[in-house]
């Protein structure tokens, strides 16, 4: 069985309630766990996205099995409240010994 990996998702939402959509989608996947949630902030966009001039920006960290990432991304892209999203693996942090 594969080990869970840590991921970061950054997103732009039409409204603040879209955050719950993202959290539900992550928790819906078996073994997924949110490890950090940032506060959501309203921002003005440099250009319109889906006819919206402003959006709510946020990000969160979560752990998930690697084979489930594509399913999560596909499910979230179909949501009307999600304008944009990006899922990445956080950069490796060097520690001093």
């Amino acid at each position: 069985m594969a080990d869970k990996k840590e991921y970061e998702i950054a997103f732009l939402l039409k409204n603040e309630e879209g955050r719950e959509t993202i959290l539900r989608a992550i928790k819906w996947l078996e073994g997924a766990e949110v490890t950090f949630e940032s506060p959501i902030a309203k921002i003005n966009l440099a250009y319109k996205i889906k006819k919206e001039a402003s959006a709510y920006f946020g990000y969160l960290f979560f752990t998930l099995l690697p084979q489930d990432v594509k399913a999560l991304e596909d499910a979230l892209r179909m949501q009307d409240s999600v304008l944009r999203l990006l899922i990445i693996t956080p950069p490796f942090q060097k520690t001093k010994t």
Side-chain angles (χ1 to χ4, degrees):
M1 183 173 153
D3 290 333
K4 292 193 280 186
K5 290 187 176 182
E6 185 162 348
Y7 295 93
E8 177 183 354
I9 182 170
F11 48 83
L12 292 174
L13 306 170
K14 282 187 183 180
N15 51 45
E16 290 184 77
E17 291 76 31
R19 178 189 199 124
E20 294 305 316
T21 302
I22 291 178
L23 291 173
R24 274 195 311 271
I26 291 172
K27 292 175 182 174
W28 174 75
L29 294 166
E30 188 175 328
E33 180 182 342
V34 176
T35 56
F36 175 79
E37 293 181 49
S38 74
I40 287 195
K42 187 172 184 175
I43 61 169
N44 292 320
L45 300 172
Y47 57 90
K48 290 185 178 185
I49 300 175
K50 295 183 183 176
K51 300 182 182 179
E52 299 289 331
S54 64
Y56 291 88
F57 171 76
Y59 64 94
L60 49 93
F61 290 89
F62 61 98
T63 57
L64 182 64
L65 294 172
Q67 63 266 23
D68 293 336
V69 173
K70 181 69 174 152
L72 173 63
E73 185 174 354
D74 291 344
L76 289 175
R77 289 200 187 277
M78 293 174 47
Q79 300 297 320
D80 290 336
S81 61
V82 178
L83 298 175
R84 290 278 194 275
L85 69 98
L86 177 66
I87 299 175
I88 63 166
T89 54
F92 178 71
Q93 297 285 329
K94 290 185 181 180
T95 57
K96 293 185 178 181
T97 55

